[in-house]
Amino acid sequence: MKTKLLITLLLTTGLLAACSEINPHSMDLDLAVQHEALVKHYEETAKEMQAKVQEHKTLLSQYEAKSYLYGRQAEGFKEHCQALINAYEKAAEENLMMANLHRQK
């Protein structure tokens, strides 16, 4: 008799535990906030990279327009500026891609 009562109590407890309300874990909410923070960070970084691209494009146009002021170093300055423009554009593109990835999550 006691065995049947014990089994019934265990089954009832298991059934009640299985049917209990499941609340969303607070960690899920924290992850959403963290993803939004990362989106903001990557977008701000991309804007900074775009500003640097514009700055170096201005310098490049100055080097091209007045290369006589820089002598033999003008070609080196132009190449260096173009390399920085390419690097900053790629960095801005990658930061926007990362922002989009975190926005999807």
Side-chain angles (χ1 to χ4, degrees), residues 22-36 105:
I22 299 174
N23 293 327
H25 196 273
S26 65
M27 191 65 114
D28 293 338
L29 299 175
D30 291 341
L31 286 175
V33 170
Q34 289 175 5
H35 281 294
E36 284 301 315
K105 292 186 181 187

Side-chain angles (χ1 to χ4, degrees), residues 49-67:
M49 296 296 116
Q50 284 297 333
K52 289 183 180 189
V53 165
Q54 292 304 318
E55 178 184 342
H56 285 284
K57 283 184 177 182
T58 303
L59 285 173
L60 181 61
S61 66
Q62 182 181 0
Y63 293 146
E64 289 173 342
K66 299 183 180 183
S67 60

